[in-house]
Each structure stands twice: as structure tokens, then as C-alpha cells.
Amino acid sequence: MTPRKPRFGMFTMIVEKTHRKWLVTVAQNTNRIPAPNPDPEMEGIDAGILFPSDH
């Protein structure tokens, strides 16, 4: 197996507590693709966190 390069992005999960158990109802993973070809899904989104290439 070949090691992969680190990648950065945002992973969001929405959970719901049902019958005393937490269940994931929705999950979304968006990879960050830095300029010059950024991911259009991230356009206008301020992630609120610094990615390694941002500082």
C-alpha cells in the first residue's frame, strides 16, 4: 500500500438522538482544493479554521 498525501477539508455530520442512542442521519465530506483551482462548493464559505496552507 502506498502512503497518500495529507488532505484537508471539512466533514459535517448531523446526528439525532432516538431511543437513547445517537445516530448519524446525514454526513458530508468536502475536500479543500487550494488556489488556483479551488473547489466551487467551498466558494464564499469561511470555514472558521485555518488550513496549513492558509498561514
Side-chain angles (χ1 to χ4, degrees):
M1 183 179 275
T2 304
R4 299 185 185 248
K5 292 182 181 178
R7 62 184 192 174
F8 302 94
M10 187 179 304
F11 193 89
T12 305
M13 297 173 107
I14 297 176
V15 296
E16 178 180 22
K17 190 172 186 178
T18 310
H19 299 59
R20 298 182 183 167
K21 292 183 181 180
W22 287 99
L23 301 172
V24 175
T25 57
V26 178
Q28 169 66 39
N29 182 31
T30 303
N31 290 321
R32 180 174 187 278
I33 303 172
N37 300 312
D39 185 340
E41 289 183 26
M42 295 293 283
E43 185 177 334
I45 295 176
D46 180 7
I49 58 173
L50 290 177
F51 292 98
S53 61
D54 291 342
H55 51 88

Coordinates of all heavy atoms in Angstrom, one line a residue:
M1 N 0.8 -1.2 0.0 CA 0.0 0.0 0.0 C 0.9 1.2 0.0 O 1.8 1.4 0.8 CB -0.9 0.0 1.2 CG -1.9 1.1 1.3 SD -2.9 1.1 2.7 CE -4.2 0.0 2.1
T2 N 0.6 2.2 -0.8 CA 1.3 3.4 -1.0 C 0.7 4.5 0.0 O -0.5 4.8 -0.1 CB 1.3 4.0 -2.4 OG1 1.8 2.9 -3.3 CG2 2.2 5.2 -2.6
P3 N 1.6 5.2 0.8 CA 1.1 6.3 1.6 C 0.5 7.4 0.8 O 1.0 7.7 -0.3 CB 2.3 6.7 2.4 CG 3.3 5.7 2.3 CD 3.0 4.9 1.0
R4 N -0.6 8.0 1.2 CA -1.2 9.1 0.5 C -0.8 10.4 1.1 O -0.5 10.5 2.2 CB -2.7 8.9 0.5 CG -3.1 7.6 -0.2 CD -4.6 7.6 -0.2 NE -5.0 6.3 -0.8 CZ -5.6 6.1 -2.0 NH1 -5.8 7.1 -2.7 NH2 -5.9 4.9 -2.4
K5 N -0.8 11.5 0.2 CA -0.5 12.8 0.7 C -1.7 13.2 1.7 O -2.8 12.9 1.5 CB -0.5 13.8 -0.5 CG 0.6 13.6 -1.4 CD 0.6 14.6 -2.5 CE 1.7 14.4 -3.5 NZ 1.7 15.4 -4.6
P6 N -1.3 14.0 2.7 CA -2.3 14.6 3.6 C -3.3 15.4 2.8 O -3.0 16.0 1.8 CB -1.6 15.4 4.6 CG -0.2 15.0 4.4 CD 0.0 14.5 3.1
R7 N -4.6 15.4 3.2 CA -5.6 16.2 2.6 C -6.4 16.9 3.7 O -6.4 16.5 4.8 CB -6.5 15.4 1.6 CG -7.3 14.4 2.3 CD -8.1 13.6 1.3 NE -9.1 12.8 2.0 CZ -10.0 12.1 1.4 NH1 -10.1 12.1 0.1 NH2 -10.8 11.4 2.1
F8 N -7.0 18.0 3.3 CA -7.7 18.8 4.3 C -9.1 19.2 3.7 O -9.3 19.3 2.5 CB -6.9 20.1 4.6 CG -5.5 19.8 5.1 CD1 -4.4 19.8 4.2 CD2 -5.3 19.6 6.4 CE1 -3.2 19.5 4.7 CE2 -4.0 19.3 6.9 CZ -3.0 19.2 6.0
G9 N -10.0 19.3 4.6 CA -11.3 19.7 4.2 C -12.2 19.8 5.4 O -11.8 20.0 6.5
M10 N -13.5 19.7 5.1 CA -14.5 19.8 6.2 C -15.4 18.6 6.1 O -15.9 18.2 5.1 CB -15.3 21.1 5.9 CG -16.2 21.5 7.0 SD -17.1 23.0 6.7 CE -15.8 24.1 6.4
F11 N -15.6 18.0 7.3 CA -16.5 16.9 7.4 C -17.6 17.3 8.4 O -17.4 17.7 9.5 CB -15.8 15.6 7.9 CG -16.6 14.4 7.7 CD1 -16.5 13.6 6.6 CD2 -17.5 13.9 8.7 CE1 -17.2 12.5 6.4 CE2 -18.2 12.8 8.5 CZ -18.1 12.1 7.4
T12 N -18.9 17.2 7.9 CA -20.0 17.6 8.7 C -20.9 16.4 8.9 O -21.2 15.6 8.0 CB -20.8 18.7 8.0 OG1 -19.9 19.8 7.7 CG2 -21.9 19.2 8.9
M13 N -21.4 16.2 10.2 CA -22.3 15.2 10.5 C -23.5 15.8 11.2 O -23.3 16.6 12.1 CB -21.7 14.1 11.3 CG -20.6 13.4 10.7 SD -19.8 12.3 11.8 CE -20.3 10.7 11.2
I14 N -24.7 15.3 10.9 CA -25.9 15.7 11.7 C -26.4 14.4 12.3 O -26.5 13.4 11.7 CB -27.0 16.3 10.7 CG1 -26.5 17.6 10.1 CG2 -28.3 16.5 11.5 CD1 -27.4 18.2 9.1
V15 N -26.5 14.5 13.7 CA -26.9 13.3 14.4 C -28.3 13.6 15.1 O -28.7 14.7 15.3 CB -25.9 13.0 15.5 CG1 -24.6 12.6 14.8 CG2 -25.7 14.1 16.5
E16 N -28.9 12.5 15.4 CA -30.3 12.6 16.1 C -30.3 11.5 17.2 O -29.9 10.4 17.0 CB -31.3 12.2 15.0 CG -32.7 12.2 15.5 CD -33.7 11.8 14.4 OE1 -33.3 11.2 13.4 OE2 -34.9 12.1 14.6
K17 N -30.8 12.0 18.3 CA -30.9 11.1 19.5 C -32.3 10.4 19.4 O -33.3 11.1 19.5 CB -30.7 11.8 20.8 CG -30.5 10.9 21.9 CD -30.1 11.6 23.2 CE -29.8 10.6 24.3 NZ -29.4 11.3 25.5
T18 N -32.3 9.1 19.3 CA -33.5 8.4 19.2 C -33.4 7.1 20.1 O -32.4 6.4 20.0 CB -33.8 7.9 17.8 OG1 -33.7 9.0 16.9 CG2 -35.1 7.3 17.6
H19 N -34.4 7.0 21.0 CA -34.4 5.8 21.9 C -33.0 5.7 22.7 O -32.4 4.6 22.7 CB -34.7 4.5 21.1 CG -36.0 4.5 20.5 ND1 -36.4 5.4 19.5 CD2 -37.1 3.7 20.6 CE1 -37.6 5.2 19.1 NE2 -38.1 4.1 19.8
R20 N -32.6 6.8 23.2 CA -31.3 6.9 24.0 C -30.1 6.6 23.2 O -29.0 6.3 23.8 CB -31.4 6.0 25.2 CG -32.5 6.3 26.1 CD -32.5 5.4 27.3 NE -33.7 5.7 28.2 CZ -34.1 5.0 29.2 NH1 -33.5 3.8 29.4 NH2 -35.1 5.3 29.9
K21 N -30.1 6.6 21.9 CA -28.9 6.3 21.1 C -28.8 7.5 20.1 O -29.7 8.0 19.6 CB -29.1 5.0 20.3 CG -29.0 3.8 21.1 CD -29.1 2.6 20.2 CE -29.1 1.3 21.0 NZ -29.2 0.1 20.2
W22 N -27.5 7.8 19.8 CA -27.2 8.9 18.8 C -27.0 8.2 17.5 O -26.2 7.2 17.4 CB -26.0 9.6 19.2 CG -26.2 10.6 20.4 CD1 -25.9 10.4 21.7 CD2 -26.8 11.9 20.3 NE1 -26.3 11.5 22.4 CE2 -26.9 12.4 21.6 CE3 -27.3 12.6 19.2 CZ2 -27.4 13.7 21.9 CZ3 -27.8 13.9 19.5 CH2 -27.9 14.4 20.8
L23 N -27.6 8.6 16.5 CA -27.5 8.0 15.1 C -27.1 9.1 14.1 O -27.7 10.2 14.2 CB -28.8 7.4 14.7 CG -29.3 6.3 15.5 CD1 -30.7 5.8 15.1 CD2 -28.4 5.1 15.5
V24 N -26.2 8.8 13.2 CA -25.8 9.8 12.2 C -26.9 9.7 11.1 O -27.2 8.7 10.6 CB -24.5 9.4 11.6 CG1 -24.2 10.4 10.4 CG2 -23.4 9.5 12.6
T25 N -27.6 10.9 10.9 CA -28.6 10.9 9.9 C -28.2 11.4 8.5 O -28.7 11.1 7.5 CB -29.8 11.7 10.4 OG1 -29.4 13.0 10.7 CG2 -30.5 11.1 11.6
V26 N -27.2 12.3 8.6 CA -26.6 12.9 7.3 C -25.1 13.2 7.5 O -24.7 13.6 8.6 CB -27.3 14.3 7.0 CG1 -26.7 14.9 5.8 CG2 -28.8 14.1 6.8
A27 N -24.3 12.9 6.5 CA -22.9 13.2 6.6 C -22.4 13.8 5.2 O -22.9 13.4 4.2 CB -22.1 11.9 6.9
Q28 N -21.5 14.7 5.3 CA -21.0 15.4 4.0 C -19.5 15.6 4.2 O -19.1 16.1 5.2 CB -21.7 16.7 3.8 CG -21.1 17.6 2.7 CD -21.2 17.0 1.3 OE1 -22.2 16.4 1.0 NE2 -20.1 17.1 0.6
N29 N -18.7 15.2 3.2 CA -17.3 15.4 3.2 C -16.9 16.3 2.0 O -17.3 16.0 0.9 CB -16.6 14.1 3.1 CG -15.1 14.2 3.2 OD1 -14.6 15.2 3.8 ND2 -14.4 13.4 2.5
T30 N -16.3 17.4 2.3 CA -15.8 18.3 1.2 C -14.3 18.5 1.3 O -13.9 19.0 2.4 CB -16.6 19.7 1.3 OG1 -18.0 19.4 1.2 CG2 -16.2 20.6 0.1
N31 N -13.6 18.1 0.3 CA -12.2 18.3 0.3 C -11.8 19.7 0.0 O -12.5 20.3 -0.9 CB -11.5 17.4 -0.7 CG -11.5 15.9 -0.2 OD1 -11.4 15.6 1.0 ND2 -11.8 15.0 -1.1
R32 N -10.8 20.3 0.6 CA -10.3 21.6 0.2 C -9.3 21.5 -0.9 O -8.3 20.8 -0.8 CB -9.7 22.3 1.4 CG -9.2 23.7 1.1 CD -8.7 24.3 2.4 NE -8.3 25.7 2.1 CZ -7.2 26.1 1.5 NH1 -6.3 25.3 1.2 NH2 -7.0 27.4 1.3
I33 N -9.6 22.2 -2.0 CA -8.6 22.3 -3.1 C -8.1 23.7 -3.2 O -8.9 24.6 -3.5 CB -9.3 21.8 -4.4 CG1 -9.9 20.4 -4.2 CG2 -8.3 21.9 -5.5 CD1 -10.7 20.0 -5.4
P34 N -6.9 24.0 -2.8 CA -6.4 25.4 -2.8 C -6.3 26.0 -4.2 O -6.3 25.3 -5.2 CB -5.0 25.2 -2.1 CG -4.6 23.8 -2.3 CD -5.9 23.0 -2.4
A35 N -6.2 27.3 -4.2 CA -6.0 28.1 -5.4 C -4.8 27.5 -6.2 O -3.9 26.9 -5.5 CB -5.8 29.5 -5.1
P36 N -4.7 27.6 -7.5 CA -5.5 28.4 -8.3 C -6.8 27.7 -8.8 O -7.6 28.3 -9.5 CB -4.6 28.7 -9.5 CG -3.8 27.4 -9.6 CD -3.6 27.0 -8.2
N37 N -7.1 26.5 -8.4 CA -8.3 25.8 -8.9 C -9.1 25.4 -7.7 O -9.3 24.2 -7.4 CB -8.0 24.6 -9.7 CG -7.2 25.0 -11.0 OD1 -7.6 25.9 -11.7 ND2 -6.1 24.3 -11.2
P38 N -9.7 26.3 -6.9 CA -10.4 25.9 -5.7 C -11.7 25.2 -6.0 O -12.2 25.3 -7.1 CB -10.7 27.3 -5.0 CG -10.7 28.2 -6.1 CD -9.7 27.7 -7.1
D39 N -12.2 24.4 -5.1 CA -13.4 23.7 -5.2 C -14.6 24.6 -5.2 O -14.7 25.4 -4.2 CB -13.5 22.7 -4.0 CG -14.7 21.8 -4.1 OD1 -15.7 22.1 -4.9 OD2 -14.7 20.7 -3.5
P40 N -15.4 24.7 -6.2 CA -16.5 25.6 -6.3 C -17.5 25.4 -5.1 O -18.2 26.4 -4.7 CB -17.2 25.3 -7.6 CG -16.5 24.2 -8.2 CD -15.3 23.8 -7.4
E41 N -17.6 24.3 -4.5 CA -18.5 24.1 -3.4 C -18.1 24.9 -2.2 O -18.9 25.1 -1.3 CB -18.6 22.6 -3.0 CG -19.3 21.7 -4.0 CD -19.4 20.3 -3.6 OE1 -19.4 20.0 -2.4 OE2 -19.5 19.4 -4.5
M42 N -16.8 25.2 -2.1 CA -16.3 26.0 -0.9 C -16.3 27.5 -1.2 O -16.0 28.2 -0.3 CB -14.9 25.5 -0.6 CG -14.7 24.1 -0.1 SD -15.5 23.8 1.4 CE -14.3 24.5 2.5
E43 N -16.7 27.9 -2.4 CA -16.7 29.3 -2.7 C -17.6 30.1 -1.7 O -18.8 29.8 -1.5 CB -17.2 29.6 -4.1 CG -17.1 31.0 -4.6 CD -17.5 31.2 -6.0 OE1 -17.3 30.2 -6.8 OE2 -17.9 32.3 -6.3
G44 N -17.1 31.2 -1.1 CA -17.8 32.0 -0.2 C -18.0 31.4 1.2 O -18.7 32.1 2.0
I45 N -17.4 30.3 1.5 CA -17.6 29.7 2.8 C -16.3 30.0 3.6 O -15.2 29.7 3.2 CB -17.7 28.1 2.7 CG1 -19.0 27.8 2.0 CG2 -17.7 27.5 4.1 CD1 -19.2 26.3 1.7
D46 N -16.6 30.6 4.8 CA -15.5 30.8 5.7 C -15.5 29.6 6.7 O -16.4 29.5 7.5 CB -15.7 32.1 6.5 CG -14.6 32.4 7.5 OD1 -13.6 31.6 7.5 OD2 -14.7 33.4 8.2
A47 N -14.6 28.7 6.6 CA -14.6 27.5 7.4 C -14.4 27.8 8.9 O -14.7 26.9 9.7 CB -13.5 26.6 6.9
G48 N -13.9 28.9 9.3 CA -13.6 29.2 10.7 C -12.4 28.5 11.2 O -12.2 28.6 12.4
I49 N -11.7 27.8 10.4 CA -10.5 27.1 10.8 C -9.4 27.5 9.8 O -9.7 27.8 8.7 CB -10.6 25.6 10.9 CG1 -11.1 25.0 9.6 CG2 -11.6 25.2 12.0 CD1 -11.1 23.5 9.5
L50 N -8.1 27.4 10.3 CA -7.0 27.7 9.4 C -6.5 26.3 8.8 O -6.2 25.4 9.6 CB -5.9 28.4 10.1 CG -6.2 29.8 10.5 CD1 -5.0 30.4 11.2 CD2 -6.4 30.7 9.2
F51 N -6.4 26.3 7.5 CA -5.8 25.1 6.9 C -4.3 25.4 6.8 O -3.9 26.5 6.8 CB -6.4 24.9 5.5 CG -7.8 24.4 5.5 CD1 -8.8 25.4 5.3 CD2 -8.1 23.1 5.8 CE1 -10.1 25.0 5.4 CE2 -9.5 22.7 5.8 CZ -10.5 23.6 5.6
P52 N -3.4 24.3 6.8 CA -2.0 24.5 6.8 C -1.5 25.5 5.8 O -0.6 26.2 6.0 CB -1.4 23.1 6.6 CG -2.5 22.2 7.2 CD -3.8 22.9 6.9
S53 N -2.1 25.5 4.6 CA -1.6 26.4 3.6 C -2.1 27.9 3.7 O -1.7 28.7 3.0 CB -2.0 25.9 2.2 OG -3.4 25.8 2.1
D54 N -3.0 28.1 4.7 CA -3.5 29.4 4.9 C -2.7 30.3 5.8 O -3.0 31.5 6.0 CB -4.9 29.3 5.5 CG -5.9 28.8 4.5 OD1 -5.6 28.8 3.3 OD2 -7.0 28.3 4.9
H55 N -1.7 29.8 6.5 CA -1.0 30.6 7.5 C 0.5 30.5 7.2 O 1.0 30.0 6.4 CB -1.3 30.3 8.9 CG -1.2 28.8 9.3 ND1 -0.1 28.2 9.7 CD2 -2.2 27.9 9.3 CE1 -0.3 27.0 10.0 NE2 -1.6 26.7 9.7

